[in-house]
Every structure is written in structure tokens, then in C-alpha cells.
Amino acid sequence: MKLIEPTMEYARQIRAYRKEFLDSGDSMDGTSKLRHFDDPGDWIAYLDSQKAPGIPDRRAPAEQYIFVREEDRKIVGMIDTRYILNDYLEKFGGNIGYSVAPGERRRGYASRMLHLVLPKFRDRGIGRVLVTCIKGNEGSRKTILKNGGIYESTVYEPGEDVDVERYWIDLSR
């Protein structure tokens, strides 16, 4: 397994990942709006634009990663990192968003992705990160707890009409 930034080398796999979510009707958390891009090249260009400060639409500078199973080059998950929290992310979205392909769940991929991305925050001198999940998403809650998440609170997000659980992971240890 490897965690890498998406490139056109993985265009076919990006399309397949997106299609699996669209076919299942599941949310595409941690994919930096992949749902809105038919063309992987357009999505990758969008990702490049998201690395700079001053991003509109409740966003903050972000880096996107794909989690690739090396033996078949399949993208089994995606994770989005936000090193700066704007007002919306501070309250609802957190520093990290992730998803695992519907057909690849319950194999520990989310926990492994989160574990692999945490040092990127530590390397930037960020001492703790906020990770959130929708209340009732037991898989995500367990992933966060497994990686040291400490529950802080639950808040209502009116735009999505959901309760969001907030967890902090201390990176200073």
C-alpha cells in the first residue's frame, strides 16, 4: 500500500473510484469534490489550485492523496489534508477527510491512511489535528479512536443537516 498524490498515471483508477461511489450513492468524503469532475485531468488541475492560500467556498489550502494497493494499482481510499483551518473547517470539517471505496471497507485501510498522513502535520509543526465524522458513522469513529482521537463535542451542521462528532489527535507524543 502506498499513499501518493494523484497524477494522470492513475486516471483510469480515479475514474473507477469515482464510479464506484456514484453507483453506490455513497458520500465521497476526503476526495476534494471528485464527484463534480468527469475528467481526472480537470480534477487534478483543481487539486493543484487548492494548494494556495485564499481558497474560496469554505475551503482552505489542501493536499489530496490516494491510497493505492500496489499489487493491482487499485485506489482503495482517498484522504484530504488541510493544514490551516478556516471558520467552517474549525467547526465542522476538521484537518482531515477520508473515504474508502465501498467494496474495500472493513479491511483497515482508513486507519492505515490516517496513520500515514499524520506525520505530514507533525513535519509542519502542527501539534494536534481535528478529525470529524458524522454521528453514527461507527467505522469512521473507530478509525479516529484507533489513531488517538479524543472526543471533544458534537455539533449540528445546518448546511448538511447532520450532527458532527469532533475529535482531536495530539501529535506531540
Side-chain angles (χ1 to χ4, degrees), residues 54-74:
I55 306 303
D57 190 28
R58 300 189 315 198
R59 306 220 11 120
E63 291 179 357
Q64 179 71 50
Y65 297 94
I66 55 177
F67 197 46
V68 178
R69 188 169 47 217
E70 292 182 80
E71 56 267 16
D72 63 1
R73 296 175 44 90
K74 180 176 182 181

Side-chain angles (χ1 to χ4, degrees), residues 6-8 10-16 18 34 37-47:
T7 64
M8 286 304 292
Y10 289 93
R12 180 181 55 76
Q13 295 91 329
I14 292 166
R15 276 190 193 95
R18 179 179 181 269
L34 176 60
F37 292 92
D38 292 328
D39 181 346
D42 291 342
W43 180 62
I44 290 169
Y46 170 77
L47 296 177

Side-chain angles (χ1 to χ4, degrees), residues 5 11 33 35 44-45 50 53 77 96 107 111-112 121 123 133 135 145 148 155 161 168 171:
E5 288 191 49
K33 298 188 178 191
R35 174 179 302 281
I44 290 169
Q50 297 302 292
I96 301 169
R107 298 179 187 173
S111 291
R112 185 74 181 135
F121 289 87
D123 292 347
C133 67
K135 185 176 181 176
L145 292 172
V155 296
D161 190 30
W168 288 96
L171 301 176

Side-chain angles (χ1 to χ4, degrees), residues 10-28:
Y10 289 93
R12 180 181 55 76
Q13 295 91 329
I14 292 166
R15 276 190 193 95
Y17 191 84
R18 179 179 181 269
K19 182 178 182 331
E20 187 171 347
F21 275 89
L22 292 176
D23 288 350
S24 73
D26 207 346
S27 67
M28 295 170 99

